[in-house]
């Protein structure tokens, strides 16, 4: 068994982190806790805590075949909400439990996520079109 502990973050695809920061940090006043390139996912991320334990994750593509580049292309050149991440207490149990319930997983094993989290994506075909990330912090 596993438990959902809350919304960990909302992943927002942007064409430029520095331009997007004009809104998220300058206008809204969120504090960016740093950028990180996640080479495996071909993204550069920046995390912006909202104050209640949830964060806005801004994602910029680092390669033309990045999932973020594909999302922006599919979305008519605009960014938008690319995924929703739910914090879980035990990611391995979550993957096993969901698979046992017939839920299709993109990741059948946890992989590295920004900030050192263990993450796994649920296939949008099983989550009614929403890309759901499961996320466990150490
Ligand atoms: Zn994420």
């Amino acid at each position: 068994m596993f438990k959902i502990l809350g919304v960990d973050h909302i992943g927002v695809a942007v064409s430029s982190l520095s331009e997007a920061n004009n809104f998220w940090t300058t206008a809204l006043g969120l504090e960016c806790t740093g950028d990180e390139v996640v080479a495996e996912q071909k993204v550069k991320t920046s995390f912006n805590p909202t104050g209640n334990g949830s964060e806005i994750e801004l994602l910029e593509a680092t390669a033309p075949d990045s999932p973020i580049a594909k999302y922006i292309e599919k979305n008519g050149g605009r960014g938008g909400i690319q995924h929703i991440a739910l914090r879980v207490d035990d990611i391995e149990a979550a993957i096993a439990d969901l698979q046992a319930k017939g839920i299709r997983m993109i990741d059948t094993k946890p992989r590295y996520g920004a900030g050192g989290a263990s993450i796994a994506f649920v296939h949008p075909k099983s989550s009614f079109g929403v890309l759901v990330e499961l996320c466990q912090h150490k």
Side-chain angles (χ1 to χ4, degrees):
M1 276 304 289
F2 73 100
K3 203 172 164 193
I4 300 291
L5 303 175
V7 174
D8 187 81
H9 63 269
I10 296 171
V12 177
V14 299
S15 44
S16 159
L17 278 183
S18 55
E19 283 178 25
N21 276 333
N22 285 330
F23 174 69
W24 295 99
T25 59
T26 308
L28 292 183
L30 296 180
E31 192 181 329
C32 175
T33 54
D35 296 346
E36 179 180 351
V37 172
V38 182
E40 184 196 330
Q41 291 167 47
K42 298 176 182 168
V43 295
K44 184 175 178 186
T45 71
S46 95
F47 277 90
N48 303 274
T50 61
N52 68 349
S54 295
E55 299 182 293
I56 302 295
E57 175 187 28
L58 301 177
L59 299 136
E60 178 189 280
T62 57
D65 61 341
S66 161
I68 297 306
K70 288 177 193 163
Y71 176 90
I72 288 174
E73 188 186 318
K74 212 172 102 182
N75 205 27
R78 293 180 309 275
I81 295 177
Q82 196 252 353
H83 67 271
I84 294 174
L86 298 173
R87 194 176 308 147
V88 297
D89 60 346
D90 182 339
I91 195 156
E92 307 230 0
I95 293 168
D97 194 57
L98 289 174
Q99 285 185 305
K101 290 171 179 164
I103 301 298
R104 195 165 145 199
M105 298 294 299
I106 291 174
D107 300 302
T108 54
K109 284 181 191 159
R111 63 166 135 152
Y112 177 86
S118 291
I119 66 168
F121 285 98
V122 177
H123 198 287
K125 283 208 163 119
S126 283
S127 48
F128 298 88
V130 177
L131 181 60
V132 174
E133 174 188 329
L134 304 175
C135 172
Q136 182 186 3
H137 294 277
K138 287 172 188 144

